[in-house]
């Protein structure tokens, strides 16, 4: 309670005194003092250099003030995609302190892709001046079905990914606990944390583009399904017209190259420029997307559908998608474009790492403080 | 705890003594004695006429033995459908003591349909010798989207149903608390209670037939969605080939009459008899059903798909559906036909009524016992 109060005060720029912490938490002053001493010892709290509380100290010795040491540890949020790997670094308050991106190809072998992650993580830490042993947890968003032990149960999108002990490999490489989750699921978490889904508990997140996937939150929690495959909608098009996004978006009769999201962006751009063939291609693509999303919406009845993914030009998708959905749904959800864009997955992954650390940080610890936090095997 | 122990003992045919109840619950004998006295007073327990415990009484006065009075109250489970209304009566142990069915048509007006429910309930109670004031709660499964207050938010299947204060009307008519839920959702609950989904927490229940609907359990609980519309898959076919079940099942170019489930049964029967046109019609219908179910399965990733509904002949659907699903799903769920058949909805509704009564019965009550149980406005 004291730690939460300290951190909440820090978010609004205040450094509370012991008396204020006692008032906020409802604990006795001696108890608060004891806890704060233990937090000081564990490094989660520090004496504030300047008393910057809102109330001026009374006469006599100014009250000691304290702050949450957000710099006491750091987190990594990792996006692993077919075409790129991205890493975000934050402090314990979830504030961004650095990032790095590495490009890949759809053919990059697994070992090489893992090395890209490690390289991006090192670069992001170095650029932000964060020591490697300050990393308390790593969150990872990856395509595919993830097992509870952090291995990849099934992944068609990345070569060598099925069966990979992803969590274990990255824990060994990065020296911190690793939480692994499906990319669309973590994107939903990211958008709910600090994107367009803030305040929404029932969310469908669609990663549009050429390898469509979806994630969902039900009651604010990730819905994985019985076998972790919930939202793996890649096969939906087989049921409809059987056409792939690559062929739907073609303007010359030849399908786009697999996973060439840049080509998707170009078709969208030409459509916006008024080119008829591109306009028709985008229309076909939106119809297909509507099909996929409607199926999800009819099954789940979310409050909000967030459309994201790497394809640029998605801003042209939201309005027709919302219009089409209202034709098919008994209750039509709100539709919004991702606010975090390409960073939704990395932010969501980072949020899951923070969840893990907070669960430990805010756990009730035996006297001696939360010394067992930090690196610990999964 | 004592009440649960009494009821559990009753399910295996035993009437425990105070000492046995104390041993099972871990409570002291004086406490158990006090609770049992209060349960005797409230009518939930009775002295067992014959000591039928497994251990013979020791020398001296035989120990008093007690049993759960399952007859202390009763429950109704109500199915409201386009073509029929059905009522099940059970005691507090969930044992069936009576039932009644009334036929309707797709055009039956709302007031008349409500009167059918009331008539069926009276008939079922009378046939089972249960007094009306013994009914502790009523569960109702109805097509459409139900609001939290028991009114119908939206229902396309039954005339006059949208906006109807269904729970309130039935509470007034039947004199007991009423729990209202979507029919496919309660069917899932019923199948999990005593049907083909026993032991499964993640279930998709498909009511096939001419007005398809679906319900789902996630983690053992009904998934209603943000606006109660989850599983309203009736519009899915608009996305695919645009064909209705009535036209898919036609063998003469003219669609079947709307909601004529008997005609569906006849087509299935002719197909089983080897008639080519009927076989082709069933094939088209199964393909459409596969489409709907696949969309649900990809979105939710359930452990089990239960296929039910009023259409006879559904036994011919399970095997091809399971085969088709495995083509599209990264993780294929088990597929099974409903074990409760036409009674799945009424049993599920009854289970929801029992849940409500148990929540009150097993709540920790102030001294004086659970006297406030029973009829109480919603």
């Amino acid at each position: 309670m004291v730690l939460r109060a300290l951190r909440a005060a820090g978010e609004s720029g205040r450094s509370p005194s012991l008396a204020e912490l006692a008032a906020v938490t409802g604990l006795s002053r001696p108890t608060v003092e004891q806890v704060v001493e233990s937090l000081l010892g564990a490094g989660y709290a520090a004496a504030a250099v300047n008393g910057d509380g809102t109330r001026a100290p009374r006469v006599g010795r100014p009250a000691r003030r304290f702050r949450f040491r957000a710099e006491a540890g750091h987190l990594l949020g990792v996006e692993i995609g077919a075409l790129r790997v991205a890493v975000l670094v934050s402090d314990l308050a979830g504030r961004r302190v650095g990032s790095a991106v590495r490009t890949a190809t759809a053919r990059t072998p697994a070992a090489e892709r893992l090395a890209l992650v490690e390289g991006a993580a090192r670069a992001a830490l170095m650029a932000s001046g964060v020591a490697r042993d300050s990393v308390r947890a790593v969150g990872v968003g990856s395509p595919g079905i993830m097992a509870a032990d952090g291995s990849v149960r099934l992944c068609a999108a990345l070569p060598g990914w099925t069966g990979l002990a992803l969590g274990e490999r990255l824990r060994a490489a990065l020296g911190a606990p690793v939480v692994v989750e499906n990319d669309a699921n973590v994107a939903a978490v990211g958008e709910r944390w600090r994107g367009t889904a803030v305040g929404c508990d029932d969310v469908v997140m669609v990663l549009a583009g050429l390898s469509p996937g979806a994630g969902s939150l039900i009651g604010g929690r990730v819905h994985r399904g019985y076998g972790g495959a919930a939202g793996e909608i890649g096969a939906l098009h087989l049921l409809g017209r059987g056409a792939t996004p690559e062929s739907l978006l073609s303007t010359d009769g030849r399908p786009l190259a697999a996973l060439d999201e840049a080509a998707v962006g170009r078709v969208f751009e030409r459509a916006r420029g008024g080119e008829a063939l591109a306009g028709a291609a985008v229309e076909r693509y939106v119809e297909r997307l509507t099909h996929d999303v409607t199926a999800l919406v009819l099954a789940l009845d979310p409050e909000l559908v967030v459309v994201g993914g790497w394809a640029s030009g998605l801003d042209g998708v939201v309005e027709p998608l919302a219009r089409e959905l209202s034709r098919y749904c008994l209750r039509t959800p709100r539709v919004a474009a991702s606010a975090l864009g390409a960073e939704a997955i990395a932010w969501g992954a980072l949020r899951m790492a923070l969840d893990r650390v907070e669960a430990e940080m805010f756990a009730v610890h035996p006297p001696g403080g939360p010394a067992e936090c930090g690196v610990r095997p999964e």
Side-chain angles (χ1 to χ4, degrees), chain A:
Chain A
M1 280 196 294
V2 173
L3 188 54
R4 279 187 203 281
L6 262 186
R7 196 179 63 162
E11 277 167 12
S12 47
R14 291 176 298 110
S15 301
S17 65
L18 292 177
E20 284 162 7
L21 284 171
V24 167
T25 58
L27 299 170
S28 75
R29 203 186 133 121
T31 302
V32 168
E33 188 154 13
Q34 198 183 331
V35 173
V36 167
E37 287 304 328
S38 123
L39 292 175
L40 288 168
Y44 286 139
V49 177
N50 299 309
D52 53 4
T54 49
R55 294 199 303 179
R58 305 198 188 160
V59 286
R61 195 164 59 86
R64 288 167 71 202
R65 294 187 168 277
F66 301 93
R67 65 177 184 84
F68 174 60
R69 284 191 70 235
E71 71 276 22
H74 291 83
L75 306 154
L76 300 182
V78 178
E79 171 205 336
I80 302 180
L83 304 180
R84 67 173 219 163
V85 155
V87 175
L88 283 175
V89 188
S90 86
D91 62 18
L92 288 180
R95 280 184 302 239
R96 175 196 200 116
V97 297
S99 64
V101 175
R102 294 285 181 272
T103 54
T105 76
R107 303 256 160 273
T108 304
E112 212 172 293
R113 205 176 295 274
L114 287 172
L116 287 175
V117 173
E118 197 180 345
R122 284 183 199 286
L125 289 170
M126 193 170 297
S128 49
V130 172
R132 201 181 124 161
D133 62 7
S134 179
V135 176
R136 297 294 178 89
V138 180
V140 177
S142 158
I145 303 177
M146 303 298 135
D149 66 356
S151 65
V152 181
R153 188 171 294 158
L154 189 64
C155 177
L158 307 181
W161 221 241
T162 297
L164 186 72
L166 180 58
E168 203 180 303
R169 296 282 289 271
L170 288 178
R171 191 183 65 76
L174 302 173
V178 173
V179 186
V180 172
E181 182 57 87
N182 171 269
D183 53 359
N185 287 345
V186 295
V189 169
E191 293 288 340
R192 181 165 179 263
W193 185 27
R194 42 181 55 172
T196 193
V198 168
C200 295
D201 284 345
D202 297 289
V203 179
V204 162
M205 173 91 208
V206 182
L207 295 182
L210 294 176
S211 176
S216 58
L217 305 178
I218 296 177
R221 296 170 56 183
V222 166
H223 173 64
R224 293 182 182 85
Y226 179 71
E232 291 290 340
I233 56 172
L236 269 181
H237 68 278
L238 298 175
L239 298 164
R241 259 156 302 270
T244 63
E246 284 83 352
S247 57
L248 293 173
L249 279 168
S250 162
T251 54
D252 57 7
R254 290 196 315 265
L256 306 190
L259 292 180
D260 185 355
E261 305 281 351
V264 177
R266 287 193 295 273
V267 176
F268 269 83
E269 212 174 300
R270 283 159 53 200
R272 276 196 297 274
E275 197 187 309
L277 281 173
V282 166
E283 206 168 290
R284 287 192 300 268
Y285 175 78
V286 169
E287 193 187 358
R288 150 75 199 276
L289 187 66
T290 302
H291 181 283
D292 293 359
V293 174
T294 303
L296 286 168
V297 167
L298 292 177
L300 291 167
D301 186 23
E303 179 181 4
L304 172 70
V305 174
V306 182
V307 184
W310 301 269
S312 50
L314 282 177
D315 22 320
V317 164
V318 169
E319 193 267 329
L321 178 62
R323 195 179 54 233
E324 285 298 291
L325 272 180
S326 70
R327 291 178 52 200
Y328 300 120
C329 300
L330 290 187
R331 203 199 63 77
T332 308
R334 197 155 58 81
V335 181
S338 159
L340 300 176
E343 288 191 334
I345 295 169
W347 274 120
L350 198 145
R351 176 69 249 184
M352 298 200 80
L354 187 51
D355 284 346
R356 189 203 148 91
V357 170
E358 285 184 355
E360 291 184 347
M361 208 160 63
F362 292 134
V364 175
H365 290 285
E372 77 280 24
C373 279
V375 182
R376 177 196 277 187
E378 283 291 87

PDB file of all heavy atoms in Angstrom, chain A residues 15-37:
ATOM      1  N   SER A  15       6.036  14.370  -3.694  1.00  0.00           N
ATOM      2  CA  SER A  15       6.848  13.508  -2.835  1.00  0.00           C
ATOM      3  C   SER A  15       6.244  13.570  -1.439  1.00  0.00           C
ATOM      4  O   SER A  15       6.471  14.525  -0.715  1.00  0.00           O
ATOM      5  CB  SER A  15       8.301  14.007  -2.796  1.00  0.00           C
ATOM      6  OG  SER A  15       8.844  14.014  -4.102  1.00  0.00           O
ATOM      7  N   PRO A  16       5.469  12.567  -1.052  1.00  0.00           N
ATOM      8  CA  PRO A  16       4.729  12.673   0.207  1.00  0.00           C
ATOM      9  C   PRO A  16       5.612  12.490   1.445  1.00  0.00           C
ATOM     10  O   PRO A  16       6.680  11.867   1.377  1.00  0.00           O
ATOM     11  CB  PRO A  16       3.702  11.536   0.096  1.00  0.00           C
ATOM     12  CG  PRO A  16       4.280  10.588  -0.881  1.00  0.00           C
ATOM     13  CD  PRO A  16       5.182  11.347  -1.797  1.00  0.00           C
ATOM     14  N   SER A  17       5.140  13.042   2.546  1.00  0.00           N
ATOM     15  CA  SER A  17       5.779  12.844   3.843  1.00  0.00           C
ATOM     16  C   SER A  17       5.200  11.589   4.486  1.00  0.00           C
ATOM     17  O   SER A  17       4.219  11.023   4.003  1.00  0.00           O
ATOM     18  CB  SER A  17       5.500  14.047   4.748  1.00  0.00           C
ATOM     19  OG  SER A  17       4.110  14.096   5.014  1.00  0.00           O
ATOM     20  N   LEU A  18       5.826  11.167   5.596  1.00  0.00           N
ATOM     21  CA  LEU A  18       5.300   9.998   6.312  1.00  0.00           C
ATOM     22  C   LEU A  18       3.862  10.238   6.752  1.00  0.00           C
ATOM     23  O   LEU A  18       3.013   9.341   6.645  1.00  0.00           O
ATOM     24  CB  LEU A  18       6.186   9.705   7.536  1.00  0.00           C
ATOM     25  CG  LEU A  18       7.599   9.204   7.237  1.00  0.00           C
ATOM     26  CD1 LEU A  18       8.375   9.030   8.540  1.00  0.00           C
ATOM     27  CD2 LEU A  18       7.557   7.881   6.477  1.00  0.00           C
ATOM     28  N   ALA A  19       3.574  11.456   7.229  1.00  0.00           N
ATOM     29  CA  ALA A  19       2.213  11.751   7.703  1.00  0.00           C
ATOM     30  C   ALA A  19       1.227  11.635   6.550  1.00  0.00           C
ATOM     31  O   ALA A  19       0.133  11.071   6.700  1.00  0.00           O
ATOM     32  CB  ALA A  19       2.166  13.157   8.300  1.00  0.00           C
ATOM     33  N   GLU A  20       1.617  12.141   5.374  1.00  0.00           N
ATOM     34  CA  GLU A  20       0.716  12.048   4.216  1.00  0.00           C
ATOM     35  C   GLU A  20       0.522  10.591   3.787  1.00  0.00           C
ATOM     36  O   GLU A  20      -0.589  10.170   3.449  1.00  0.00           O
ATOM     37  CB  GLU A  20       1.274  12.876   3.053  1.00  0.00           C
ATOM     38  CG  GLU A  20       1.058  14.379   3.253  1.00  0.00           C
ATOM     39  CD  GLU A  20       1.959  15.230   2.350  1.00  0.00           C
ATOM     40  OE1 GLU A  20       2.653  14.668   1.474  1.00  0.00           O
ATOM     41  OE2 GLU A  20       1.962  16.462   2.553  1.00  0.00           O
ATOM     42  N   LEU A  21       1.607   9.816   3.813  1.00  0.00           N
ATOM     43  CA  LEU A  21       1.489   8.394   3.459  1.00  0.00           C
ATOM     44  C   LEU A  21       0.575   7.676   4.452  1.00  0.00           C
ATOM     45  O   LEU A  21      -0.227   6.818   4.059  1.00  0.00           O
ATOM     46  CB  LEU A  21       2.872   7.733   3.444  1.00  0.00           C
ATOM     47  CG  LEU A  21       3.729   8.059   2.216  1.00  0.00           C
ATOM     48  CD1 LEU A  21       5.153   7.540   2.409  1.00  0.00           C
ATOM     49  CD2 LEU A  21       3.120   7.453   0.954  1.00  0.00           C
ATOM     50  N   ALA A  22       0.687   8.028   5.734  1.00  0.00           N
ATOM     51  CA  ALA A  22      -0.182   7.407   6.741  1.00  0.00           C
ATOM     52  C   ALA A  22      -1.636   7.773   6.465  1.00  0.00           C
ATOM     53  O   ALA A  22      -2.535   6.926   6.544  1.00  0.00           O
ATOM     54  CB  ALA A  22       0.242   7.862   8.146  1.00  0.00           C
ATOM     55  N   ALA A  23      -1.868   9.037   6.086  1.00  0.00           N
ATOM     56  CA  ALA A  23      -3.242   9.484   5.831  1.00  0.00           C
ATOM     57  C   ALA A  23      -3.830   8.752   4.625  1.00  0.00           C
ATOM     58  O   ALA A  23      -4.972   8.291   4.648  1.00  0.00           O
ATOM     59  CB  ALA A  23      -3.259  10.995   5.616  1.00  0.00           C
ATOM     60  N   VAL A  24      -3.015   8.631   3.558  1.00  0.00           N
ATOM     61  CA  VAL A  24      -3.514   8.017   2.317  1.00  0.00           C
ATOM     62  C   VAL A  24      -3.766   6.517   2.504  1.00  0.00           C
ATOM     63  O   VAL A  24      -4.758   5.966   2.022  1.00  0.00           O
ATOM     64  CB  VAL A  24      -2.510   8.259   1.169  1.00  0.00           C
ATOM     65  CG1 VAL A  24      -2.831   7.366  -0.022  1.00  0.00           C
ATOM     66  CG2 VAL A  24      -2.522   9.720   0.759  1.00  0.00           C
ATOM     67  N   THR A  25      -2.855   5.857   3.231  1.00  0.00           N
ATOM     68  CA  THR A  25      -2.968   4.402   3.319  1.00  0.00           C
ATOM     69  C   THR A  25      -3.857   3.958   4.476  1.00  0.00           C
ATOM     70  O   THR A  25      -4.300   2.810   4.504  1.00  0.00           O
ATOM     71  CB  THR A  25      -1.579   3.759   3.532  1.00  0.00           C
ATOM     72  OG1 THR A  25      -1.017   4.305   4.744  1.00  0.00           O
ATOM     73  CG2 THR A  25      -0.650   4.046   2.368  1.00  0.00           C
ATOM     74  N   GLY A  26      -4.081   4.861   5.439  1.00  0.00           N
ATOM     75  CA  GLY A  26      -4.875   4.464   6.607  1.00  0.00           C
ATOM     76  C   GLY A  26      -4.057   3.670   7.614  1.00  0.00           C
ATOM     77  O   GLY A  26      -4.598   3.135   8.585  1.00  0.00           O
ATOM     78  N   LEU A  27      -2.725   3.569   7.378  1.00  0.00           N
ATOM     79  CA  LEU A  27      -1.861   2.840   8.310  1.00  0.00           C
ATOM     80  C   LEU A  27      -1.372   3.792   9.399  1.00  0.00           C
ATOM     81  O   LEU A  27      -1.414   5.011   9.254  1.00  0.00           O
ATOM     82  CB  LEU A  27      -0.662   2.252   7.552  1.00  0.00           C
ATOM     83  CG  LEU A  27      -0.997   1.248   6.447  1.00  0.00           C
ATOM     84  CD1 LEU A  27       0.249   0.936   5.618  1.00  0.00           C
ATOM     85  CD2 LEU A  27      -1.562  -0.033   7.043  1.00  0.00           C
ATOM     86  N   SER A  28      -0.884   3.210  10.471  1.00  0.00           N
ATOM     87  CA  SER A  28      -0.336   4.057  11.540  1.00  0.00           C
ATOM     88  C   SER A  28       1.008   4.620  11.103  1.00  0.00           C
ATOM     89  O   SER A  28       1.692   4.056  10.241  1.00  0.00           O
ATOM     90  CB  SER A  28      -0.159   3.231  12.817  1.00  0.00           C
ATOM     91  OG  SER A  28       0.966   2.384  12.661  1.00  0.00           O
ATOM     92  N   ARG A  29       1.385   5.739  11.700  1.00  0.00           N
ATOM     93  CA  ARG A  29       2.637   6.366  11.316  1.00  0.00           C
ATOM     94  C   ARG A  29       3.847   5.487  11.603  1.00  0.00           C
ATOM     95  O   ARG A  29       4.748   5.370  10.759  1.00  0.00           O
ATOM     96  CB  ARG A  29       2.775   7.720  12.012  1.00  0.00           C
ATOM     97  CG  ARG A  29       3.726   8.626  11.238  1.00  0.00           C
ATOM     98  CD  ARG A  29       3.999   9.893  11.960  1.00  0.00           C
ATOM     99  NE  ARG A  29       5.432  10.116  11.936  1.00  0.00           N
ATOM    100  CZ  ARG A  29       6.005  11.183  11.412  1.00  0.00           C
ATOM    101  NH1 ARG A  29       5.254  12.139  10.923  1.00  0.00           N
ATOM    102  NH2 ARG A  29       7.303  11.309  11.400  1.00  0.00           N
ATOM    103  N   PRO A  30       3.877   4.817  12.755  1.00  0.00           N
ATOM    104  CA  PRO A  30       5.037   3.932  12.987  1.00  0.00           C
ATOM    105  C   PRO A  30       5.126   2.820  11.938  1.00  0.00           C
ATOM    106  O   PRO A  30       6.215   2.488  11.468  1.00  0.00           O
ATOM    107  CB  PRO A  30       4.752   3.345  14.381  1.00  0.00           C
ATOM    108  CG  PRO A  30       3.834   4.325  15.032  1.00  0.00           C
ATOM    109  CD  PRO A  30       3.013   4.932  13.940  1.00  0.00           C
ATOM    110  N   THR A  31       3.977   2.270  11.536  1.00  0.00           N
ATOM    111  CA  THR A  31       3.992   1.225  10.502  1.00  0.00           C
ATOM    112  C   THR A  31       4.532   1.771   9.193  1.00  0.00           C
ATOM    113  O   THR A  31       5.395   1.170   8.544  1.00  0.00           O
ATOM    114  CB  THR A  31       2.572   0.664  10.282  1.00  0.00           C
ATOM    115  OG1 THR A  31       2.089   0.153  11.516  1.00  0.00           O
ATOM    116  CG2 THR A  31       2.555  -0.427   9.230  1.00  0.00           C
ATOM    117  N   VAL A  32       4.019   2.962   8.804  1.00  0.00           N
ATOM    118  CA  VAL A  32       4.470   3.572   7.553  1.00  0.00           C
ATOM    119  C   VAL A  32       5.969   3.813   7.610  1.00  0.00           C
ATOM    120  O   VAL A  32       6.708   3.529   6.650  1.00  0.00           O
ATOM    121  CB  VAL A  32       3.708   4.891   7.298  1.00  0.00           C
ATOM    122  CG1 VAL A  32       4.372   5.679   6.174  1.00  0.00           C
ATOM    123  CG2 VAL A  32       2.254   4.601   6.945  1.00  0.00           C
ATOM    124  N   GLU A  33       6.445   4.292   8.740  1.00  0.00           N
ATOM    125  CA  GLU A  33       7.872   4.594   8.883  1.00  0.00           C
ATOM    126  C   GLU A  33       8.700   3.320   8.692  1.00  0.00           C
ATOM    127  O   GLU A  33       9.701   3.317   7.970  1.00  0.00           O
ATOM    128  CB  GLU A  33       8.138   5.192  10.277  1.00  0.00           C
ATOM    129  CG  GLU A  33       9.559   5.713  10.421  1.00  0.00           C
ATOM    130  CD  GLU A  33       9.663   6.816  11.472  1.00  0.00           C
ATOM    131  OE1 GLU A  33       8.696   6.992  12.254  1.00  0.00           O
ATOM    132  OE2 GLU A  33      10.706   7.498  11.498  1.00  0.00           O
ATOM    133  N   GLN A  34       8.205   2.236   9.288  1.00  0.00           N
ATOM    134  CA  GLN A  34       8.917   0.962   9.193  1.00  0.00           C
ATOM    135  C   GLN A  34       8.959   0.479   7.738  1.00  0.00           C
ATOM    136  O   GLN A  34      10.000   0.036   7.239  1.00  0.00           O
ATOM    137  CB  GLN A  34       8.172  -0.055  10.065  1.00  0.00           C
ATOM    138  CG  GLN A  34       8.988  -1.276  10.434  1.00  0.00           C
ATOM    139  CD  GLN A  34       8.115  -2.258  11.231  1.00  0.00           C
ATOM    140  OE1 GLN A  34       7.174  -1.837  11.936  1.00  0.00           O
ATOM    141  NE2 GLN A  34       8.393  -3.533  11.103  1.00  0.00           N
ATOM    142  N   VAL A  35       7.808   0.584   7.056  1.00  0.00           N
ATOM    143  CA  VAL A  35       7.746   0.138   5.667  1.00  0.00           C
ATOM    144  C   VAL A  35       8.651   0.988   4.788  1.00  0.00           C
ATOM    145  O   VAL A  35       9.385   0.480   3.930  1.00  0.00           O
ATOM    146  CB  VAL A  35       6.287   0.170   5.135  1.00  0.00           C
ATOM    147  CG1 VAL A  35       6.255  -0.138   3.643  1.00  0.00           C
ATOM    148  CG2 VAL A  35       5.413  -0.802   5.899  1.00  0.00           C
ATOM    149  N   VAL A  36       8.618   2.301   5.010  1.00  0.00           N
ATOM    150  CA  VAL A  36       9.439   3.187   4.184  1.00  0.00           C
ATOM    151  C   VAL A  36      10.922   2.875   4.389  1.00  0.00           C
ATOM    152  O   VAL A  36      11.700   2.850   3.425  1.00  0.00           O
ATOM    153  CB  VAL A  36       9.133   4.674   4.502  1.00  0.00           C
ATOM    154  CG1 VAL A  36      10.191   5.581   3.906  1.00  0.00           C
ATOM    155  CG2 VAL A  36       7.753   5.048   3.958  1.00  0.00           C
ATOM    156  N   GLU A  37      11.296   2.593   5.626  1.00  0.00           N
ATOM    157  CA  GLU A  37      12.705   2.220   5.876  1.00  0.00           C
ATOM    158  C   GLU A  37      13.057   0.985   5.053  1.00  0.00           C
ATOM    159  O   GLU A  37      14.118   0.921   4.434  1.00  0.00           O
ATOM    160  CB  GLU A  37      12.929   1.933   7.375  1.00  0.00           C
ATOM    161  CG  GLU A  37      12.935   3.167   8.276  1.00  0.00           C
ATOM    162  CD  GLU A  37      13.962   4.218   7.856  1.00  0.00           C
ATOM    163  OE1 GLU A  37      15.040   3.844   7.330  1.00  0.00           O
ATOM    164  OE2 GLU A  37      13.664   5.420   8.004  1.00  0.00           O
TER     165      GLU A  37
END
